[in-house]
Amino acid sequence: MNMSEEFSRAYGVLQADKAPMGEGCKSLVLQDLAEKFSQYFDLASPPKMTIKEKKGKTVVEITFEAERVKKFNVIK
């Protein structure tokens, strides 16, 4: 392995370590969110999530489309 390949491999490992969430974990979170959101909405599309770093904080945005909001009552 030459120096360029070693650098590329090391850089890839470091970037993966910096990633806020791996794709497998992200997929599990989206499955859980879809299950929870479907209790309140008739989903027209599965939830999507973007994760960004901004000023030392992690910004998470979740979007989805719903056919309707389900009716429910809050019990006090």
Side-chain angles (χ1 to χ4, degrees):
M1 190 180 293
N2 67 31
M3 193 66 133
S4 177
E5 290 171 332
E6 287 180 28
F7 176 78
S8 293
R9 184 168 181 228
Y11 181 78
V13 169
L14 289 173
Q15 290 303 100
D17 284 347
K18 286 178 137 181
M21 183 179 287
E23 287 303 312
C25 186
K26 188 175 178 180
S27 176
L28 288 173
V29 169
L30 287 171
Q31 278 182 325
D32 288 346
L33 290 173
E35 185 178 317
K36 182 53 84 175
F37 291 150
S38 68
Q39 293 176 2
Y40 300 98
F41 304 93
D42 281 335
L43 298 180
S45 69
K48 295 180 181 128
M49 178 170 52
T50 57
I51 302 172
K52 301 174 191 172
E53 295 295 321
K54 185 176 180 181
K55 297 182 182 180
K57 305 282 184 186
T58 302
V59 178
V60 180
E61 296 176 343
I62 299 167
T63 58
F64 63 92
E65 293 180 359
E67 295 291 335
R68 70 178 184 96
V69 177
K70 293 181 177 180
K71 292 189 177 200
F72 61 93
N73 295 320
V74 178
I75 300 173
K76 293 184 181 184

